[in-house]
Amino acid sequence: MTALYQKIRTIQRQTLEFLVRRFFARTLEKRAGEVVSVFEGWIEPKQSPKWLDVGGSWGFCAKELRKKGFLSFVLDVVKPAVQAVPVFVYPGDKIPFKDGSWDVVSMITMLHHVPQPKALVEEAVRVSKKYVLLTEDLDGFGGRFWTVLRDMIFNLEFLGHPKQFRGQDEWTAFFESCGLKLVRFVKVQTRLLGLPIENGFYLFEKTGQSA
């Protein structure tokens, strides 16, 4: 059963990679520009230039960040078929960088895919010098059922989706429990393939830091 489970998971991912490479790269790149524009100006690249986008997959957001003056890279558990920026591949447990190696660590619409999000957030806090930025899907039209179903469809993750979704205030409390304080928040409705998505954009700062 485990072997079959892993095979199906692999097929799901390979199919998604094929579709992105063949049909949807430009759509996702455009969306990345819209996403980055929401928090553009929150962080000054001259003061905090090194940016690690955890779970950034194809690197479309990281590519947009480079256009804004950041030295951005992607960290992920798989090597994507499309690489818009260099990608560090790791096993998914301990992030392979020293404490405070990155000025900013971001997790953009990916944490709900992580089976143990607290462990990952604690690692993100460890390697961040100052900021942790989170973008997450929030429940909108259709409630939690639609949030989960839409994400399964868009990511072709019908088997094994961790469904680690939380509400707006739940994400704030979750990150504060990991030694962070919220300094900026905005909720924006974005669209992907014409469907509306409620996204929360959070900028957290390590406790003891000053903006």
Side-chain angles (χ1 to χ4, degrees):
M1 181 63 71
T2 301
L4 178 60
Y5 172 85
Q6 291 299 334
K7 184 175 182 179
I8 295 174
R9 292 274 297 168
T10 299
I11 291 172
Q12 288 179 158
R13 180 68 193 194
Q14 290 175 342
T15 304
L16 178 63
E17 292 285 348
F18 170 78
L19 291 173
V20 169
R21 184 177 66 250
R22 192 72 179 271
F23 301 108
F24 297 116
R26 289 185 179 180
T27 298
L28 293 174
E29 191 165 7
K30 180 181 177 182
R31 173 174 164 76
E34 295 169 352
V35 167
V36 170
S37 71
V38 174
F39 54 82
E40 183 179 357
W42 288 10
I43 302 170
E44 173 56 51
K46 291 184 179 179
Q47 297 177 357
S48 304
K50 293 180 63 181
W51 191 305
L52 183 66
D53 188 20
V54 177
S57 194
W58 307 288
F60 296 125
C61 284
K63 181 180 178 180
E64 290 298 316
L65 288 165
R66 289 195 168 207
K67 295 178 182 178
K68 310 300 180 185
F70 293 97
L71 183 61
S72 53
F73 295 85
V74 167
L75 177 74
D76 214 315
V77 295
V78 296
K79 185 176 181 179
V82 177
Q83 289 183 250
V85 302
V87 178
F88 297 107
V89 179
Y90 82 124
D93 44 13
K94 184 179 177 63
I95 293 179
F97 299 108
K98 295 180 180 179
D99 297 4
S101 298
W102 300 86
D103 297 300
V104 187
V105 177
S106 61
M107 290 168 279
I108 300 175
T109 63
M110 57 75 63
L111 200 53
H112 55 263
H113 292 282
V114 179
Q116 297 179 337
K118 189 173 182 64
L120 179 59
V121 173
E122 288 174 345
E123 276 294 286
V125 173
R126 179 183 65 79
V127 301
S128 169
K129 184 181 295 183
K130 187 172 184 180
Y131 294 114
V132 175
L133 185 138
L134 171 73
T135 301
E136 260 302 334
D137 295 352
L138 303 175
D139 296 336
F141 172 79
R144 181 62 53 86
F145 173 80
W146 173 239
T147 300
V148 173
L149 178 61
R150 182 197 62 230
D151 202 71
M152 285 180 166
I153 294 171
F154 281 164
N155 292 280
L156 297 183
E157 195 173 8
F158 302 103
L159 180 67
H161 195 309
K163 305 173 187 175
Q164 292 284 355
F165 293 97
R166 287 169 170 78
Q168 175 181 326
D169 295 335
E170 290 175 313
W171 279 122
T172 300
F174 182 83
F175 273 68
E176 288 178 344
S177 73
C178 297
L180 297 166
K181 62 179 179 180
L182 181 66
V183 293
R184 295 287 295 269
F185 172 79
V186 65
K187 183 164 68 172
V188 176
Q189 185 181 89
T190 63
R191 287 184 176 271
L192 182 57
L193 299 179
L195 294 177
I197 303 175
E198 295 290 334
N199 286 128
F201 292 78
Y202 305 74
L203 180 62
F204 294 95
E205 198 173 48
K206 294 183 73 168
T207 302
Q209 302 281 350
S210 59

